[in-house]
Amino acid sequence: MSHAILRRQWQELLSRWPRDAAGPAPLRQGLIGCADTKRGEPPVDFLIPLGNLAGTEMKRPAAAAVSCDIIAYQNRPCVAVGIGEPGKTSSLDVIALKKILRAQTIALSGGLPIAFFWFGRCEIARDDSEIFPDFDAAGVLIQRAAMAGSDGSSQFIYCEQVAGVGGTLARALPRRLHDDRHAPAYRDFLTWLEKHATLPALQEPAANCDPADLMPLSPSEEYNTRDIIATLVDAGSFVEYRAEYGRTLICGYARIGTMPVGIVANQKKHVRDRGRPFEFGGVIYSESASKGARFILDCNQNSLPLLFLQDVNGFMVGRDAEISGIIRSGAKMVNAVANSIVPKITLILGGSYGAGNYAMCGKAYEPLFIFGWPTARYAVMGGEQAARTLCDLQIRQAESSGKKLSEKDRGALFERLKKTYDDQIDPRYAAARLWIDHIVFPGETRALLFQAFRIASYSPRSAELKTGVIQT
């Protein structure tokens, strides 16, 4: 397919795509309002938005009461969290709290300072069954804030009112920086931030070819993932690791804005070698998994951060796959990902299905950031496959009870189930539930990854690599 056709398809898709569904963001407005008039530009750079689509189409209006961003002031990074609106009462439901907790997790794991601005009065929504007892709810927010103080992490807290959750959080800490007697202290916050370490002083790289010229929208079409990698890394910097072995997984070393990274990517081009079995693109075979495990451990030994590019259908299954050792090799790769001590960043290009999501550093494997393209598909299996499986099950159940379904009824049932699954594998569904931190457009990906790896370079390197027992 030509570049012109691909670009036209992408332009049509992106024209219908909401760039930002976030609600009111008084913190963003306030920080931008602290512009340095002498320079004629805002002193705060907004590097990475977090959870802008949280709660979308979930009937969760409270999620919009929270804004989370990674910002930088004079090249000093910080996670900035704004909760509520000045002078108003805001209700925080479970999605709003998870959004705050995700920001805390990124700050703690990345060694970043974090700032909370509690505007107005913020109260917990009346759905105690979800919020009160769970591990990712209100109590954990206060626990992590206390932990941040104990491990040397720095945090700034402003509360417009001492009542409500913000006041509780401030009182739980050894000292409170601001309380209800102060106006929103943006300048004090920036002065506080000036005391912290800076990011590497690197120039943001110029854009390469737009990946949208190379990536087909249809999941059934194959493409060469090496072409996508070339648009994301510095020109000529990609050095592939064992290109002739395990060819449905691409591993290699590269630079993004001169920063060295290791890349693990699913190859979506089918492999057809004379004298060897045919291999489907996007599937992890035994050789691919073994190669991936070895490469990931090498990157850990060399303190090289990892970028995972997902477009994966899962591990190969069947008799031949088991004979080739897919269970043993898959366990090695999962072990290597789970025990990695270097920063991990995941970008979902297309499918992220089944156990392939785990092996390629899905949400459960704690990447520092997890991003997705509008073409991302996040589920146990594809929509059509899942709908057909459930449709067959429901047809058998109906027929076993004596009910006969016509071909029209069967078709209608399948289409209804397929629509439900298609809606659920849409990346907006995942972003609404904070399974994806941010949905990025292809042409903006290189710049976003540059900022993400700059922030990753800020992370502490104190852990020791331990893998436990490796399957042999």
Side-chain angles (χ1 to χ4, degrees), residues 82-110:
I83 305 115
E85 295 184 64
K88 297 182 180 180
T89 298
S90 299
S91 177
L92 304 180
D93 65 7
V94 66
I95 294 296
L97 289 171
K98 285 183 177 181
K99 188 171 176 178
I100 300 170
L101 287 169
R102 177 58 181 154
Q104 278 187 307
T105 300
I106 290 173
L108 287 171
S109 59

Side-chain angles (χ1 to χ4, degrees), residues 13-21 53 56-57 374 428 439 441:
L13 170 67
L14 300 183
S15 67
R16 305 190 305 268
W17 193 270
R19 283 182 171 262
D20 191 349
L53 296 177
T56 304
E57 297 182 359
R428 286 166 287 197
I439 296 177
F441 295 171

